[in-house]
Amino acid sequence: MVFSAMQLKQRESYQRFCSDLEECCAAANDFCRMTEECDTIVEELLEHTELSADQIQTVQEVANELLRQFTNDAVYAAQSVHVYIMDPIDEELKDKLFVTEEWAKKQGKSSRLNYCTNY
């Protein structure tokens, strides 16, 4: 069935779409749109074909699995965005924000707190 093949292809390739910030955002949007499109296609399919109750149930179950896959992948892509935002910030500021153990011992607790709040 077409929906099963789409789901298999999606499972094999969804992580390839999250290699940078722009692609993560695009993938999240695309996966959301695919969910909407797939839902529309299933409605039209069921509307314009004469299927038995068992066939309708099978189509709905397979389509629901695909919809869940697209939804989960959209969430994964959206959650992956933080890596591309926070990693560069962390690299740039970690020496300024996170003091060394040696400095912390030398300064004491109150100085550490003062340093962090004043930064």
Short mmCIF file of all heavy atoms in Angstrom, two decimals, residues 81-118:
data_model
loop_
_atom_site.label_atom_id
_atom_site.label_comp_id
_atom_site.label_asym_id
_atom_site.label_seq_id
_atom_site.Cartn_x
_atom_site.Cartn_y
_atom_site.Cartn_z
N VAL A 81 16.19 22.06 16.50
CA VAL A 81 16.60 23.44 16.24
C VAL A 81 17.50 23.96 17.35
O VAL A 81 18.46 24.68 17.09
CB VAL A 81 15.35 24.33 16.08
CG1 VAL A 81 15.70 25.80 16.16
CG2 VAL A 81 14.66 24.01 14.77
N HIS A 82 17.22 23.58 18.58
CA HIS A 82 17.98 24.13 19.71
C HIS A 82 19.49 23.87 19.59
O HIS A 82 20.30 24.68 20.00
CB HIS A 82 17.46 23.62 21.04
CG HIS A 82 17.98 22.27 21.41
ND1 HIS A 82 17.47 21.11 20.88
CD2 HIS A 82 18.99 21.90 22.23
CE1 HIS A 82 18.14 20.08 21.36
NE2 HIS A 82 19.06 20.53 22.19
N VAL A 83 19.85 22.77 19.00
CA VAL A 83 21.26 22.43 18.85
C VAL A 83 21.98 23.50 18.02
O VAL A 83 23.07 23.94 18.37
CB VAL A 83 21.43 21.05 18.19
CG1 VAL A 83 22.87 20.77 17.83
CG2 VAL A 83 20.87 19.97 19.08
N TYR A 84 21.34 23.92 16.96
CA TYR A 84 21.97 24.87 16.04
C TYR A 84 21.92 26.30 16.57
O TYR A 84 22.64 27.17 16.09
CB TYR A 84 21.33 24.77 14.66
CG TYR A 84 21.46 23.37 14.13
CD1 TYR A 84 20.38 22.51 14.08
CD2 TYR A 84 22.70 22.89 13.72
CE1 TYR A 84 20.51 21.20 13.62
CE2 TYR A 84 22.85 21.59 13.26
CZ TYR A 84 21.75 20.76 13.21
OH TYR A 84 21.88 19.47 12.76
N ILE A 85 21.08 26.54 17.57
CA ILE A 85 21.03 27.85 18.20
C ILE A 85 21.95 27.89 19.42
O ILE A 85 22.74 28.82 19.59
CB ILE A 85 19.58 28.21 18.60
CG1 ILE A 85 18.73 28.36 17.34
CG2 ILE A 85 19.55 29.47 19.46
CD1 ILE A 85 17.26 28.51 17.61
N MET A 86 21.85 26.88 20.26
CA MET A 86 22.57 26.91 21.54
C MET A 86 24.05 26.54 21.42
O MET A 86 24.87 27.08 22.16
CB MET A 86 21.88 26.00 22.56
CG MET A 86 20.47 26.45 22.90
SD MET A 86 20.34 28.18 23.42
CE MET A 86 21.24 28.16 24.94
N ASP A 87 24.42 25.65 20.54
CA ASP A 87 25.82 25.25 20.44
C ASP A 87 26.76 26.42 20.11
O ASP A 87 27.77 26.59 20.78
CB ASP A 87 26.00 24.11 19.44
CG ASP A 87 25.63 22.76 20.02
OD1 ASP A 87 25.28 22.69 21.21
OD2 ASP A 87 25.67 21.77 19.27
N PRO A 88 26.42 27.25 19.12
CA PRO A 88 27.31 28.38 18.86
C PRO A 88 27.36 29.37 20.04
O PRO A 88 28.43 29.93 20.34
CB PRO A 88 26.69 29.06 17.63
CG PRO A 88 25.87 28.01 16.99
CD PRO A 88 25.39 27.13 18.10
N ILE A 89 26.24 29.57 20.70
CA ILE A 89 26.22 30.46 21.86
C ILE A 89 27.09 29.87 22.97
O ILE A 89 27.89 30.58 23.58
CB ILE A 89 24.78 30.68 22.36
CG1 ILE A 89 23.99 31.47 21.33
CG2 ILE A 89 24.77 31.38 23.72
CD1 ILE A 89 22.51 31.56 21.61
N ASP A 90 26.94 28.59 23.19
CA ASP A 90 27.73 27.91 24.22
C ASP A 90 29.22 28.02 23.91
O ASP A 90 30.02 28.34 24.79
CB ASP A 90 27.31 26.44 24.31
CG ASP A 90 28.07 25.69 25.38
OD1 ASP A 90 28.14 26.19 26.52
OD2 ASP A 90 28.60 24.61 25.07
N GLU A 91 29.59 27.79 22.67
CA GLU A 91 31.01 27.87 22.29
C GLU A 91 31.56 29.28 22.50
O GLU A 91 32.68 29.45 22.96
CB GLU A 91 31.20 27.45 20.84
CG GLU A 91 31.16 25.97 20.62
CD GLU A 91 32.24 25.24 21.38
OE1 GLU A 91 33.42 25.66 21.34
OE2 GLU A 91 31.91 24.24 22.04
N GLU A 92 30.76 30.26 22.16
CA GLU A 92 31.21 31.65 22.26
C GLU A 92 31.31 32.13 23.71
O GLU A 92 32.22 32.85 24.08
CB GLU A 92 30.27 32.56 21.47
CG GLU A 92 30.68 34.01 21.45
CD GLU A 92 31.96 34.26 20.67
OE1 GLU A 92 32.26 33.51 19.72
OE2 GLU A 92 32.66 35.22 21.02
N LEU A 93 30.37 31.70 24.54
CA LEU A 93 30.27 32.28 25.88
C LEU A 93 30.72 31.38 27.02
O LEU A 93 30.79 31.84 28.16
CB LEU A 93 28.82 32.71 26.14
CG LEU A 93 28.26 33.77 25.22
CD1 LEU A 93 26.81 34.05 25.57
CD2 LEU A 93 29.08 35.03 25.28
N LYS A 94 31.01 30.14 26.75
CA LYS A 94 31.27 29.21 27.86
C LYS A 94 32.44 29.66 28.74
O LYS A 94 32.38 29.52 29.95
CB LYS A 94 31.45 27.78 27.38
CG LYS A 94 32.72 27.49 26.66
CD LYS A 94 32.76 26.03 26.26
CE LYS A 94 33.96 25.77 25.39
NZ LYS A 94 33.93 24.42 24.89
N ASP A 95 33.47 30.22 28.16
CA ASP A 95 34.60 30.67 28.97
C ASP A 95 34.22 31.87 29.84
O ASP A 95 34.78 32.07 30.90
CB ASP A 95 35.79 31.02 28.08
CG ASP A 95 36.38 29.79 27.41
OD1 ASP A 95 36.20 28.68 27.95
OD2 ASP A 95 37.00 29.95 26.34
N LYS A 96 33.29 32.67 29.37
CA LYS A 96 32.86 33.84 30.12
C LYS A 96 31.82 33.48 31.18
O LYS A 96 31.78 34.09 32.24
CB LYS A 96 32.28 34.88 29.17
CG LYS A 96 33.30 35.44 28.22
CD LYS A 96 32.65 36.38 27.22
CE LYS A 96 33.67 36.83 26.20
NZ LYS A 96 33.08 37.60 25.13
N LEU A 97 30.95 32.52 30.86
CA LEU A 97 29.87 32.17 31.78
C LEU A 97 30.26 31.14 32.82
O LEU A 97 29.78 31.17 33.94
CB LEU A 97 28.66 31.65 30.99
CG LEU A 97 27.96 32.67 30.13
CD1 LEU A 97 26.84 32.01 29.34
CD2 LEU A 97 27.39 33.80 30.96
N PHE A 98 31.09 30.23 32.44
CA PHE A 98 31.43 29.14 33.33
C PHE A 98 32.88 29.30 33.79
O PHE A 98 33.81 29.14 33.02
CB PHE A 98 31.22 27.79 32.64
CG PHE A 98 29.80 27.63 32.19
CD1 PHE A 98 29.47 27.74 30.86
CD2 PHE A 98 28.80 27.41 33.12
CE1 PHE A 98 28.15 27.61 30.45
CE2 PHE A 98 27.48 27.29 32.72
CZ PHE A 98 27.15 27.39 31.38
N VAL A 99 33.00 29.63 35.03
CA VAL A 99 34.32 29.89 35.60
C VAL A 99 35.03 28.57 35.88
O VAL A 99 34.40 27.54 36.02
CB VAL A 99 34.19 30.72 36.89
CG1 VAL A 99 33.59 32.07 36.58
CG2 VAL A 99 33.36 30.00 37.92
N THR A 100 36.33 28.63 36.00
CA THR A 100 37.09 27.43 36.29
C THR A 100 36.95 27.09 37.77
O THR A 100 36.64 27.94 38.60
CB THR A 100 38.58 27.64 35.97
OG1 THR A 100 39.09 28.64 36.85
CG2 THR A 100 38.79 28.03 34.53
N GLU A 101 37.17 25.87 38.08
CA GLU A 101 37.11 25.40 39.47
C GLU A 101 38.12 26.14 40.33
O GLU A 101 37.84 26.53 41.45
CB GLU A 101 37.36 23.88 39.51
CG GLU A 101 37.07 23.25 40.84
CD GLU A 101 35.59 23.25 41.18
OE1 GLU A 101 34.76 23.16 40.26
OE2 GLU A 101 35.26 23.35 42.38
N GLU A 102 39.28 26.36 39.78
CA GLU A 102 40.35 27.06 40.51
C GLU A 102 39.91 28.49 40.87
O GLU A 102 40.07 28.93 42.01
CB GLU A 102 41.60 27.09 39.64
CG GLU A 102 42.81 27.69 40.31
CD GLU A 102 44.01 27.65 39.36
OE1 GLU A 102 44.26 26.58 38.77
OE2 GLU A 102 44.65 28.70 39.24
N TRP A 103 39.32 29.19 39.92
CA TRP A 103 38.85 30.55 40.18
C TRP A 103 37.75 30.56 41.23
O TRP A 103 37.72 31.40 42.12
CB TRP A 103 38.35 31.17 38.88
CG TRP A 103 37.87 32.58 39.02
CD1 TRP A 103 38.62 33.71 38.91
CD2 TRP A 103 36.54 33.02 39.32
NE1 TRP A 103 37.84 34.82 39.10
CE2 TRP A 103 36.55 34.42 39.37
CE3 TRP A 103 35.35 32.35 39.56
CZ2 TRP A 103 35.42 35.18 39.64
CZ3 TRP A 103 34.21 33.10 39.84
CH2 TRP A 103 34.26 34.50 39.87
N ALA A 104 36.84 29.59 41.14
CA ALA A 104 35.72 29.52 42.07
C ALA A 104 36.20 29.31 43.50
O ALA A 104 35.70 29.95 44.43
CB ALA A 104 34.78 28.39 41.66
N LYS A 105 37.16 28.44 43.69
CA LYS A 105 37.71 28.20 45.03
C LYS A 105 38.37 29.45 45.58
O LYS A 105 38.25 29.79 46.74
CB LYS A 105 38.70 27.03 45.01
CG LYS A 105 38.04 25.69 44.87
CD LYS A 105 39.09 24.59 44.82
CE LYS A 105 38.44 23.25 44.57
NZ LYS A 105 39.44 22.18 44.45
N LYS A 106 39.08 30.13 44.73
CA LYS A 106 39.81 31.33 45.12
C LYS A 106 38.86 32.47 45.51
O LYS A 106 39.11 33.21 46.45
CB LYS A 106 40.69 31.76 43.95
CG LYS A 106 41.72 32.79 44.26
CD LYS A 106 42.57 32.97 43.00
CE LYS A 106 43.65 33.99 43.20
NZ LYS A 106 44.42 34.17 41.97
N GLN A 107 37.74 32.58 44.80
CA GLN A 107 36.82 33.69 45.00
C GLN A 107 35.78 33.44 46.10
O GLN A 107 35.29 34.37 46.70
CB GLN A 107 36.09 34.02 43.70
CG GLN A 107 37.00 34.44 42.58
CD GLN A 107 37.78 35.69 42.92
OE1 GLN A 107 37.26 36.63 43.48
NE2 GLN A 107 39.08 35.67 42.60
N GLY A 108 35.40 32.20 46.29
CA GLY A 108 34.36 31.89 47.27
C GLY A 108 32.97 31.96 46.65
O GLY A 108 32.78 32.43 45.54
N LYS A 109 31.97 31.47 47.41
CA LYS A 109 30.60 31.37 46.90
C LYS A 109 30.01 32.72 46.51
O LYS A 109 29.40 32.87 45.48
CB LYS A 109 29.70 30.72 47.94
CG LYS A 109 29.75 29.23 47.96
CD LYS A 109 28.70 28.71 48.90
CE LYS A 109 28.73 27.21 48.93
NZ LYS A 109 27.73 26.68 49.86
N SER A 110 30.13 33.71 47.36
CA SER A 110 29.47 34.98 47.08
C SER A 110 30.04 35.64 45.82
O SER A 110 29.31 36.25 45.06
CB SER A 110 29.61 35.93 48.27
OG SER A 110 30.97 36.20 48.53
N SER A 111 31.33 35.52 45.58
CA SER A 111 31.92 36.11 44.38
C SER A 111 31.43 35.40 43.13
O SER A 111 31.19 36.02 42.11
CB SER A 111 33.44 36.04 44.44
OG SER A 111 33.91 36.87 45.47
N ARG A 112 31.28 34.08 43.21
CA ARG A 112 30.77 33.33 42.06
C ARG A 112 29.36 33.78 41.71
O ARG A 112 29.03 34.03 40.57
CB ARG A 112 30.75 31.83 42.36
CG ARG A 112 31.83 31.08 41.67
CD ARG A 112 31.71 29.63 41.93
NE ARG A 112 32.00 29.40 43.36
CZ ARG A 112 31.67 28.32 44.02
NH1 ARG A 112 31.05 27.34 43.43
NH2 ARG A 112 31.95 28.18 45.28
N LEU A 113 28.53 33.91 42.74
CA LEU A 113 27.16 34.34 42.52
C LEU A 113 27.15 35.75 41.96
O LEU A 113 26.42 36.04 41.02
CB LEU A 113 26.37 34.27 43.84
CG LEU A 113 24.91 34.69 43.75
CD1 LEU A 113 24.18 33.82 42.75
CD2 LEU A 113 24.26 34.59 45.12
N ASN A 114 27.95 36.63 42.50
CA ASN A 114 28.04 38.01 42.03
C ASN A 114 28.51 38.05 40.57
O ASN A 114 27.97 38.78 39.76
CB ASN A 114 29.00 38.80 42.93
CG ASN A 114 28.92 40.27 42.66
OD1 ASN A 114 27.90 40.78 42.24
ND2 ASN A 114 30.02 40.97 42.89
N TYR A 115 29.48 37.24 40.21
CA TYR A 115 29.99 37.20 38.85
C TYR A 115 28.89 36.78 37.88
O TYR A 115 28.67 37.40 36.84
CB TYR A 115 31.17 36.22 38.75
CG TYR A 115 31.69 36.01 37.35
CD1 TYR A 115 32.55 36.93 36.76
CD2 TYR A 115 31.28 34.91 36.60
CE1 TYR A 115 33.02 36.76 35.49
CE2 TYR A 115 31.75 34.73 35.31
CZ TYR A 115 32.61 35.64 34.75
OH TYR A 115 33.06 35.47 33.47
N CYS A 116 28.16 35.74 38.24
CA CYS A 116 27.12 35.22 37.35
C CYS A 116 25.96 36.20 37.22
O CYS A 116 25.41 36.36 36.13
CB CYS A 116 26.60 33.88 37.86
SG CYS A 116 27.81 32.55 37.68
N THR A 117 25.57 36.85 38.29
CA THR A 117 24.44 37.76 38.21
C THR A 117 24.79 39.08 37.53
O THR A 117 23.95 39.72 36.94
CB THR A 117 23.83 38.06 39.60
OG1 THR A 117 24.85 38.58 40.44
CG2 THR A 117 23.23 36.79 40.18
N ASN A 118 26.05 39.48 37.59
CA ASN A 118 26.45 40.74 36.97
C ASN A 118 26.83 40.58 35.50
O ASN A 118 27.00 41.56 34.80
CB ASN A 118 27.64 41.37 37.72
CG ASN A 118 27.19 41.96 39.03
OD1 ASN A 118 26.06 42.38 39.17
ND2 ASN A 118 28.08 41.95 40.00
#
